[in-house]
Amino acid sequence: MADLFDEPSAGLNSPEFTVTELSGAIKRVIEGEFGHVRIRGEVGRVSRPRSGHVYLDLKDDRSVISGVIWKGVSARLETQPEEGMEVIATGRITTFGGQSKYQIVIEDIKPAGMGALMALLEKRKAALAAEGLFAPERKRPLPYLPEIIGVVTSPSGAVIRDILHRLRDRFPRKVLVWPVAVQGAKCAPEVARAIEGFNRLTPGGALPRPDLLIVARGGGSVEDLWGFNEEIVARAAAASQIPLISAVGHETDTTLIDFVSDRRAPTPTAAAELAVPVRHELMVWLDGLEARMRQALSQGLTRRGQRLRDVSRALPRPESLLDTPRQRLDVVATRLGPALTAGVQRRKVHLSEISGALRPMTLQRLIANDRRRLTALSQRLDPALARAIATQRERYETRAARLRPEPLSRDRQRKAEALAQLSARLNPALQRLVSARREKLNDRLRNFRPETLLQDRQRKESQYRQLSARLGEAGQRQMRDWRQRLEALDRLRETLSYKATLARGYAVVRGQTGVVTRAEEARRADALEIEFADGILPVNVSVAKPA
C-alpha cells in the first residue's frame, strides 16, 4: 500500500495524501478484508429512484449499514425488500468515496425465517383488506355451465391433467391453458399477465374469451407458494372481469389470491368440480322434469274432461228443447183450417154486398159523363200543347244563346291537365306504397320460422331448469361460504393470539386487578399468577417478600 503514495519530503514527520488517494486506499483495504458476507437485520428506509436501483438501510438495535441493490439484480430477486421486514442479505462490502461511508452491495436478499414471511403476508393482507378487495359484495357468482374455461397453471405438472380429467368425467368443456411458472421469481408476473391476457380476449373471437378462470397449483411450502402472495397477483385477480376460482396448494394452504378470488377451491380437482355440474345428474334431473311435465299435462287434460262432463250434465237434452215449439206448432196447425174457411166466407159476403150495388144503367151514366169530360179536355189540349211548345222553344233558344263552345273547351282542357297531373302524382305514390307493403310482407314471411318458436320455447324451458338448479344450490353455497369465512377468521385469530408468543419463551403476569406490566405493581401485589405456554403458575408474593 505504501507504493501508492509519494515519499515524504525532507523535514516533515508524516507523508501528505490527497483525499482521493486516502479514500481509494480505504476502499481496497475494506474490499480485501471483507469479501462476500451475509448480514441479518431489519430493513429500514427503502428508496426506489427512477434509475431502477434500490437503496436501503439494514439495522439492528445498535447499528445501521447502508445497502444498494443494482437495477439488474433487483429485477431478479424473488422477494422485494420492504420497510420493517427482517431479512438475510448476501453481498460484498465496499465504500462510497463521494460521501465517505461504507455500504453493502446486495446480490441476494431473503426473508429471515417463517416469522418474517408471515409478518409480511399479514401486512399485505391488512393493506388489501383496507382497500376493500376482500369484501364479499365484490365477489361474482360463477356461471352455471361455462362454455370455455381458462386455466392458468404449469403445462407440465399433474395439476392440469387432474383438472382436465375431472372436467371430462363431469361435463366436457372447452379449456384454454395459459402456461406460467408456478414457482420462483417469474411466477408472480407471469400469473398476473395470464389473468390480464384472458380478460383482454374478445368474446366470440378467433380465440374466444373464457367464461370462467381457474388459477391452480399443487401443494408446497410457504416459499414455493409465495408467488401467489405477491400484491401484483392479488390486484390482477381482483381486477378480473371474468369470475375466478383459486386452487393454489392443498386445503390447509392459504394465499392472498384466495381472499380476492370469487371462489376458493381446496384442491385443483375441487376447482374443476366447482366449475361444471355433473352431466349425468343434469340428464336425470331433466328426465324427471319431463316426466313431471307429462304427468301435469295428463292430469290437466283429465281434469278438464271431467269438468266438461260435469257441465254437460247440467244442460237439458236437445229433444226437451224442441217439445214446446212442436206442441205450439200442432195447436196452430189445428186452428189453420177453420180460420181459412171463415176468411173465405167473410170475403164472399163482402163481394156479394159490393156486387149488389152494380147496375147497367149506372155504368152507362158513368161512361157518358167520362166521355163528355174527355171531349172537353181534348178541345183544350191543342192550344195548351202549342203554348207549352212555344214556351219551351223560347227557353231553349235563350239557353242556346248563352252556351258557347270556347269556354267549355277551355274548361275541359284545364280539367284534363289537372287530371293528368293528379294521375302522374298518384301512380308513383301507389307503386311505392304497394312496393313497401309487399317488401314488408315478404320480410315477415322470410323471418317467420316454426323452428324459431320451438327454439324460443326450448330456451325458456332451459332457463327455467337452470334457475331451479341455482335456487337449489344457493343455500349450500351460502353455507360453504360461511364455513370458509369462519375457518379463515379462526386461523387469523390463532395467528394474532398471544399464545404463539408464549410458546417462544415469554410469560404473562396477572394480579388482582389484571395484567401486571411494571415491577412496582408486582411488589405491591399479595399474589400473582404467571401464565406460561403450558399452564398457569400461582405465586404468593407475601411469602416471597423478606421479613
Side-chain angles (χ1 to χ4, degrees), residues 80-96:
Q80 294 295 326
E82 298 182 12
E83 186 174 353
M85 182 169 52
E86 187 176 2
V87 298
I88 297 176
T90 303
R92 53 187 177 84
I93 302 296
T94 183
T95 63
F96 179 53

Side-chain angles (χ1 to χ4, degrees), residues 7 55 167 176 187 365 469:
E7 292 293 332
Y55 299 95
L167 290 176
L176 295 180
C187 173
R365 284 197 301 270

Side-chain angles (χ1 to χ4, degrees), residues 48 56 74 79 86-88 126 151 172 182 254 298 300 312 483 491:
R48 301 177 185 272
L56 53 87
S74 175
T79 303
E86 187 176 2
V87 298
I88 297 176
V151 180
V182 293
T254 303
S298 177
S312 63
R483 187 178 297 107
R491 288 194 297 270

Side-chain angles (χ1 to χ4, degrees), residues 509-517 521 524-525 527-528:
V509 182
R510 294 186 177 88
Q512 292 87 347
T513 60
V515 179
V516 177
T517 60
E521 295 178 3
R524 290 199 302 268
L528 298 174

Side-chain angles (χ1 to χ4, degrees), residues 452-501:
T452 305
L453 298 178
L454 181 59
Q455 293 174 358
D456 183 66
R457 175 176 175 271
Q458 293 176 352
R459 184 175 64 256
K460 290 182 178 179
E461 291 178 354
S462 176
Q463 293 175 356
Y464 170 75
R465 292 192 294 269
Q466 294 178 3
L467 180 60
S468 300
R470 291 172 63 184
L471 289 176
E473 296 180 358
Q476 298 179 2
R477 289 197 299 269
Q478 186 67 33
M479 290 298 295
R480 287 196 297 269
D481 292 342
W482 287 346
R483 187 178 297 107
Q484 291 175 2
R485 290 178 59 189
L486 182 60
E487 292 174 355
L489 290 175
D490 185 66
R491 288 194 297 270
L492 180 61
R493 180 185 64 80
E494 292 293 337
T495 303
L496 301 178
S497 175
Y498 72 96
K499 299 289 186 180
T501 306

Side-chain angles (χ1 to χ4, degrees), residues 273-293:
E273 294 177 356
L274 290 175
V276 295
V278 181
R279 184 176 184 180
H280 178 68
E281 294 179 357
L282 287 179
M283 295 176 65
V284 172
W285 180 67
L286 288 176
D287 293 339
L289 288 180
E290 184 179 2
R292 290 174 57 189
M293 182 178 66

